[in-house]
């Protein structure tokens, strides 16, 4: 696997990382395109920046115990059993998924991909509306300081809605 250690920076703009990718505390990965075929772990105090205008895709589980800053680009969570793709996002307690763009997080192949939030999902920048077109299971916090967040496939801020349910969250 590949490990980004304390003080290290990985700039990834395309291609496929096929093994385990770990971003240790103090490490930073700037991902602006390409596919993660293996597990991606963002450790406590690690930072994953989703940037640029391209699509970043995950074919396995992304587990965040640190910070993911979603700055740009669509994010595809690919879950398709015939190809052994098991895409999902786990935002752990104490973790932050910080939305600063107006892109789409979606699943491909209509497999059982999901986003589970036990930490914090927040929208801190941008006046538009990013969309979670994936089941969003929430046991953590969701806040929106600006713009709105759309949950367009399986729940919203309150959690576990059926597939196809739509909920929007805007600042209060």
């Amino acid at each position: 696997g590949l490990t980004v250690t304390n003080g290290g920076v990985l700039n990834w703009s395309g291609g496929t990382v096929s093994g385990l990718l770990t971003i240790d505390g103090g490490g930073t990965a700037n991902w602006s395109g390409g596919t993660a075929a293996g597990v991606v772990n963002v450790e406590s105090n690690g930072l994953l920046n989703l940037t640029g205008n391209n699509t970043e895709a995950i074919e396995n589980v992304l587990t965040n115990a640190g910070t993911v800053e979603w700055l740009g680009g669509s994010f595809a969570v690919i879950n398709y059993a015939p190809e052994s793709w098991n895409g999902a996002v786990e935002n752990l307690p104490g973790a932050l998924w910080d939305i600063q763009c107006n892109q789409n997080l979606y699943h491909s192949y209509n497999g059982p991909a999901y986003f589970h939030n036990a930490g914090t999902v927040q929208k801190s920048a941008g006046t538009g509306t990013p969309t979670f077109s994936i089941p969003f299971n929430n046991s953590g916090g969701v806040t929106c300081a600006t713009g709105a967040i759309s949950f367009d496939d399986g729940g919203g801020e309150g959690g576990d809605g059926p597939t196809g349910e739509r909920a929007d969250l805007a600042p209060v």
Side-chain angles (χ1 to χ4, degrees), residues 18-38:
S18 36
L20 172 67
L21 171 59
T22 301
I23 305 159
D24 284 344
T28 300
N30 299 308
W31 185 7
S32 62
T35 301

Side-chain angles (χ1 to χ4, degrees):
L2 176 62
T3 300
V4 183
T5 58
N6 185 9
V9 176
L10 170 66
N11 293 311
W12 174 17
S13 61
T16 300
V17 173
S18 36
L20 172 67
L21 171 59
T22 301
I23 305 159
D24 284 344
T28 300
N30 299 308
W31 185 7
S32 62
T35 301
V39 170
V40 175
N41 291 323
V42 181
E43 302 294 335
S44 179
N45 297 314
L47 175 61
L48 172 60
N49 291 314
L50 303 174
T51 67
N53 296 318
N54 296 317
T55 297
E56 298 89 25
I58 181 105
E59 295 175 348
N60 214 307
V61 178
L62 186 157
T63 302
N64 179 33
T67 299
V68 173
E69 290 186 347
W70 188 14
L71 305 166
S74 294
F75 191 74
V77 181
I78 302 170
N79 193 307
Y80 185 61
E83 295 292 336
S84 297
W85 297 333
N86 301 300
V89 176
E90 291 285 343
N91 198 48
L92 300 178
L96 174 63
W97 188 281
D98 185 20
I99 305 166
Q100 299 181 36
C101 67
N102 303 315
Q103 299 295 322
N104 190 17
L105 190 148
Y106 63 95
H107 58 91
S108 296
Y109 297 101
N110 294 321
Y114 63 87
F115 188 109
H116 174 239
N117 178 45
T120 299
V121 170
Q122 72 179 18
K123 180 151 190 288
S124 63
T127 57
T129 304
T131 301
F132 284 76
S133 297
I134 185 172
F136 186 89
N137 305 309
N138 187 46
S139 61
V142 179
T143 61
C144 184
T146 180
I149 305 170
S150 177
F151 301 93
D152 197 8
D153 188 6
E157 182 217 353
D160 305 326
T163 298
E165 179 179 307
R166 182 183 171 102
D168 293 322
L169 177 68
V172 248

